[in-house]
Amino acid sequence: MFMDISSEMIHSLLPVFLVGTLGASVALVGVIEGVAEAAASVTKVFSGWISDRLGKRKVLAVLGYGLGAITKPVFPLAMTPFEVLAARLTDRVGKGIRGAPRDALVADITPPGARGAAFGLRQALDTVGAFLGPIVAIVLMAALAGDMRAVFAWAVVPAVIAVLLMIFGVDEPMRSGGAAHARAPIRWAEVRDMGRPFWSVVVVGVVFTLARFSEAFLVLRAQDVGLKLTLIPLVLVVMNVFYAGVAAPAGTLSDRMDRRTLLGLGLGVLILADLALALLPSIGGVLVGVALWGVHMGMTQGLLSALVADAAPDRLRGTAFGVFNLATGLTLLLASALAGGLWTAFGPSTTFFAGAAFSAVAVAGLLIWVRRAA
């Protein structure tokens, strides 16, 4: 939660800072966001594999949160988009290092019948931080006369708190067999043989991610329709209020019904969000689209993690999260670069129409998956 507060204080203003202060194009913003998220996803493969081999999760999580914290002072000092890119890359590598071990740790300590609720709760706490961060940014923007660099500097404080809480407040339970029984390195043949259920989740996740490009484009859409600079972080506040409110109930509901049905409903909400963002070029219309985007995120993000946990072999669970995040992260790079290119060439509406089209393709793929599994 605290790391999300820090990150969202920066991310709620970063697209506008890049375009308005540092002179970046929207296409470059898409590339920066996509490259950063892809770096996180590549790192998750190796952190998940290492956590499976060592039998330890916490040390990797602390390292990842620490890397995220040390990048925060770079943003207020950046003079070019490339310095922002370097900071975003390092920050996302930190996220990649901590992400798979953290998710595997949640799965390790949670009974199978409560995994949907557990991942929903984890996602809700993440999202509480994600909407508190933009609120703090709005308050600081008002107090500091719109000085975005000063807001970025204050983001260091919650990042340091997050690292201290991880070090002193989290106890890792012993796993079955303990860490003393070191395992041989995992062979790629084992990864390939994880089974059709796992690879079906990966395929759905990839198609799904094509439809869900970076939230930076939500921020830029709000600026495009005339939202005041000091209120720009409100976009992520609205999104994350709905995200946080939906995530935990959706996770609990997914333990009582077919998770794929709930995933399909979430994709339907994403289509509505994209259409609102494309067809309602006003502040009110954009906020409606952003709210629907948050509902879709709450319905689907923890659910995808639960599907991975359900489908992956216990011994390879950390690696499975890493492989899944690699596939979806590289797809997010493509999706964000494509979104930025469409925005620059044809305007923002085309970007969101494309998102709706990819969502429809994902729904079709989900129906095929359900039919084949029947």
Side-chain angles (χ1 to χ4, degrees), residues 64-79:
Y65 281 110
L67 276 177
I70 65 174
T71 65
K72 296 302 188 277
V74 176
F75 293 98
L77 300 174
M79 300 303 295

PDB file of all heavy atoms in Angstrom, residues 64-79:
ATOM      1  N   GLY A  64      13.312  -5.989  -4.124  1.00  0.00           N
ATOM      2  CA  GLY A  64      12.474  -5.319  -5.117  1.00  0.00           C
ATOM      3  C   GLY A  64      11.894  -4.011  -4.613  1.00  0.00           C
ATOM      4  O   GLY A  64      11.915  -2.991  -5.318  1.00  0.00           O
ATOM      5  N   TYR A  65      11.389  -4.011  -3.385  1.00  0.00           N
ATOM      6  CA  TYR A  65      10.860  -2.773  -2.820  1.00  0.00           C
ATOM      7  C   TYR A  65      11.970  -1.744  -2.626  1.00  0.00           C
ATOM      8  O   TYR A  65      11.753  -0.537  -2.801  1.00  0.00           O
ATOM      9  CB  TYR A  65      10.135  -3.060  -1.504  1.00  0.00           C
ATOM     10  CG  TYR A  65       8.754  -3.624  -1.692  1.00  0.00           C
ATOM     11  CD1 TYR A  65       8.477  -4.955  -1.367  1.00  0.00           C
ATOM     12  CD2 TYR A  65       7.712  -2.848  -2.186  1.00  0.00           C
ATOM     13  CE1 TYR A  65       7.209  -5.490  -1.545  1.00  0.00           C
ATOM     14  CE2 TYR A  65       6.441  -3.368  -2.366  1.00  0.00           C
ATOM     15  CZ  TYR A  65       6.201  -4.696  -2.041  1.00  0.00           C
ATOM     16  OH  TYR A  65       4.949  -5.226  -2.225  1.00  0.00           O
ATOM     17  N   GLY A  66      13.170  -2.210  -2.268  1.00  0.00           N
ATOM     18  CA  GLY A  66      14.288  -1.285  -2.094  1.00  0.00           C
ATOM     19  C   GLY A  66      14.670  -0.595  -3.391  1.00  0.00           C
ATOM     20  O   GLY A  66      14.929   0.621  -3.422  1.00  0.00           O
ATOM     21  N   LEU A  67      14.708  -1.350  -4.495  1.00  0.00           N
ATOM     22  CA  LEU A  67      15.010  -0.733  -5.794  1.00  0.00           C
ATOM     23  C   LEU A  67      13.960   0.305  -6.168  1.00  0.00           C
ATOM     24  O   LEU A  67      14.277   1.373  -6.705  1.00  0.00           O
ATOM     25  CB  LEU A  67      15.082  -1.807  -6.881  1.00  0.00           C
ATOM     26  CG  LEU A  67      16.406  -2.550  -7.049  1.00  0.00           C
ATOM     27  CD1 LEU A  67      16.264  -3.622  -8.117  1.00  0.00           C
ATOM     28  CD2 LEU A  67      17.525  -1.586  -7.418  1.00  0.00           C
ATOM     29  N   GLY A  68      12.686  -0.011  -5.893  1.00  0.00           N
ATOM     30  CA  GLY A  68      11.637   0.958  -6.175  1.00  0.00           C
ATOM     31  C   GLY A  68      11.836   2.246  -5.405  1.00  0.00           C
ATOM     32  O   GLY A  68      11.628   3.348  -5.935  1.00  0.00           O
ATOM     33  N   ALA A  69      12.269   2.134  -4.149  1.00  0.00           N
ATOM     34  CA  ALA A  69      12.443   3.322  -3.307  1.00  0.00           C
ATOM     35  C   ALA A  69      13.591   4.203  -3.787  1.00  0.00           C
ATOM     36  O   ALA A  69      13.484   5.441  -3.792  1.00  0.00           O
ATOM     37  CB  ALA A  69      12.660   2.900  -1.853  1.00  0.00           C
ATOM     38  N   ILE A  70      14.709   3.592  -4.210  1.00  0.00           N
ATOM     39  CA  ILE A  70      15.871   4.415  -4.557  1.00  0.00           C
ATOM     40  C   ILE A  70      15.693   5.149  -5.886  1.00  0.00           C
ATOM     41  O   ILE A  70      16.444   6.092  -6.172  1.00  0.00           O
ATOM     42  CB  ILE A  70      17.173   3.582  -4.595  1.00  0.00           C
ATOM     43  CG1 ILE A  70      17.130   2.535  -5.711  1.00  0.00           C
ATOM     44  CG2 ILE A  70      17.440   2.934  -3.250  1.00  0.00           C
ATOM     45  CD1 ILE A  70      18.445   1.792  -5.887  1.00  0.00           C
ATOM     46  N   THR A  71      14.706   4.752  -6.699  1.00  0.00           N
ATOM     47  CA  THR A  71      14.479   5.476  -7.955  1.00  0.00           C
ATOM     48  C   THR A  71      13.665   6.751  -7.761  1.00  0.00           C
ATOM     49  O   THR A  71      13.684   7.640  -8.624  1.00  0.00           O
ATOM     50  CB  THR A  71      13.726   4.598  -8.970  1.00  0.00           C
ATOM     51  OG1 THR A  71      12.403   4.314  -8.480  1.00  0.00           O
ATOM     52  CG2 THR A  71      14.460   3.308  -9.236  1.00  0.00           C
ATOM     53  N   LYS A  72      12.950   6.852  -6.667  1.00  0.00           N
ATOM     54  CA  LYS A  72      12.010   7.972  -6.504  1.00  0.00           C
ATOM     55  C   LYS A  72      12.671   9.349  -6.570  1.00  0.00           C
ATOM     56  O   LYS A  72      12.093  10.282  -7.143  1.00  0.00           O
ATOM     57  CB  LYS A  72      11.223   7.811  -5.199  1.00  0.00           C
ATOM     58  CG  LYS A  72      10.329   6.562  -5.163  1.00  0.00           C
ATOM     59  CD  LYS A  72       9.326   6.533  -6.296  1.00  0.00           C
ATOM     60  CE  LYS A  72       8.313   5.411  -6.182  1.00  0.00           C
ATOM     61  NZ  LYS A  72       8.812   4.128  -6.693  1.00  0.00           N
ATOM     62  N   PRO A  73      13.896   9.554  -6.017  1.00  0.00           N
ATOM     63  CA  PRO A  73      14.498  10.889  -6.127  1.00  0.00           C
ATOM     64  C   PRO A  73      14.881  11.297  -7.548  1.00  0.00           C
ATOM     65  O   PRO A  73      15.132  12.489  -7.796  1.00  0.00           O
ATOM     66  CB  PRO A  73      15.760  10.764  -5.242  1.00  0.00           C
ATOM     67  CG  PRO A  73      15.491   9.629  -4.318  1.00  0.00           C
ATOM     68  CD  PRO A  73      14.661   8.677  -5.116  1.00  0.00           C
ATOM     69  N   VAL A  74      14.936  10.343  -8.484  1.00  0.00           N
ATOM     70  CA  VAL A  74      15.335  10.676  -9.856  1.00  0.00           C
ATOM     71  C   VAL A  74      14.271  11.521 -10.553  1.00  0.00           C
ATOM     72  O   VAL A  74      14.588  12.444 -11.314  1.00  0.00           O
ATOM     73  CB  VAL A  74      15.614   9.396 -10.669  1.00  0.00           C
ATOM     74  CG1 VAL A  74      15.940   9.730 -12.127  1.00  0.00           C
ATOM     75  CG2 VAL A  74      16.741   8.597 -10.032  1.00  0.00           C
ATOM     76  N   PHE A  75      12.997  11.247 -10.287  1.00  0.00           N
ATOM     77  CA  PHE A  75      11.924  11.922 -11.027  1.00  0.00           C
ATOM     78  C   PHE A  75      11.916  13.437 -10.831  1.00  0.00           C
ATOM     79  O   PHE A  75      11.791  14.172 -11.821  1.00  0.00           O
ATOM     80  CB  PHE A  75      10.571  11.312 -10.648  1.00  0.00           C
ATOM     81  CG  PHE A  75      10.412   9.887 -11.095  1.00  0.00           C
ATOM     82  CD1 PHE A  75      10.635   8.833 -10.227  1.00  0.00           C
ATOM     83  CD2 PHE A  75      10.063   9.591 -12.401  1.00  0.00           C
ATOM     84  CE1 PHE A  75      10.513   7.518 -10.637  1.00  0.00           C
ATOM     85  CE2 PHE A  75       9.937   8.275 -12.832  1.00  0.00           C
ATOM     86  CZ  PHE A  75      10.161   7.229 -11.948  1.00  0.00           C
ATOM     87  N   PRO A  76      12.061  13.972  -9.607  1.00  0.00           N
ATOM     88  CA  PRO A  76      12.069  15.434  -9.490  1.00  0.00           C
ATOM     89  C   PRO A  76      13.304  16.084 -10.096  1.00  0.00           C
ATOM     90  O   PRO A  76      13.297  17.292 -10.364  1.00  0.00           O
ATOM     91  CB  PRO A  76      12.025  15.671  -7.968  1.00  0.00           C
ATOM     92  CG  PRO A  76      12.531  14.415  -7.350  1.00  0.00           C
ATOM     93  CD  PRO A  76      12.078  13.324  -8.276  1.00  0.00           C
ATOM     94  N   LEU A  77      14.365  15.309 -10.325  1.00  0.00           N
ATOM     95  CA  LEU A  77      15.609  15.862 -10.869  1.00  0.00           C
ATOM     96  C   LEU A  77      15.722  15.687 -12.376  1.00  0.00           C
ATOM     97  O   LEU A  77      16.647  16.230 -12.990  1.00  0.00           O
ATOM     98  CB  LEU A  77      16.809  15.192 -10.190  1.00  0.00           C
ATOM     99  CG  LEU A  77      16.894  15.358  -8.659  1.00  0.00           C
ATOM    100  CD1 LEU A  77      18.048  14.528  -8.108  1.00  0.00           C
ATOM    101  CD2 LEU A  77      17.044  16.825  -8.280  1.00  0.00           C
ATOM    102  N   ALA A  78      14.807  14.938 -13.000  1.00  0.00           N
ATOM    103  CA  ALA A  78      14.918  14.610 -14.430  1.00  0.00           C
ATOM    104  C   ALA A  78      14.815  15.859 -15.297  1.00  0.00           C
ATOM    105  O   ALA A  78      13.968  16.724 -15.071  1.00  0.00           O
ATOM    106  CB  ALA A  78      13.838  13.613 -14.821  1.00  0.00           C
ATOM    107  N   MET A  79      15.669  15.918 -16.317  1.00  0.00           N
ATOM    108  CA  MET A  79      15.661  17.033 -17.261  1.00  0.00           C
ATOM    109  C   MET A  79      15.286  16.600 -18.678  1.00  0.00           C
ATOM    110  O   MET A  79      15.005  17.446 -19.525  1.00  0.00           O
ATOM    111  CB  MET A  79      17.042  17.709 -17.286  1.00  0.00           C
ATOM    112  CG  MET A  79      17.482  18.264 -15.950  1.00  0.00           C
ATOM    113  SD  MET A  79      16.311  19.458 -15.227  1.00  0.00           S
ATOM    114  CE  MET A  79      16.415  20.790 -16.430  1.00  0.00           C
TER     115      MET A  79
END
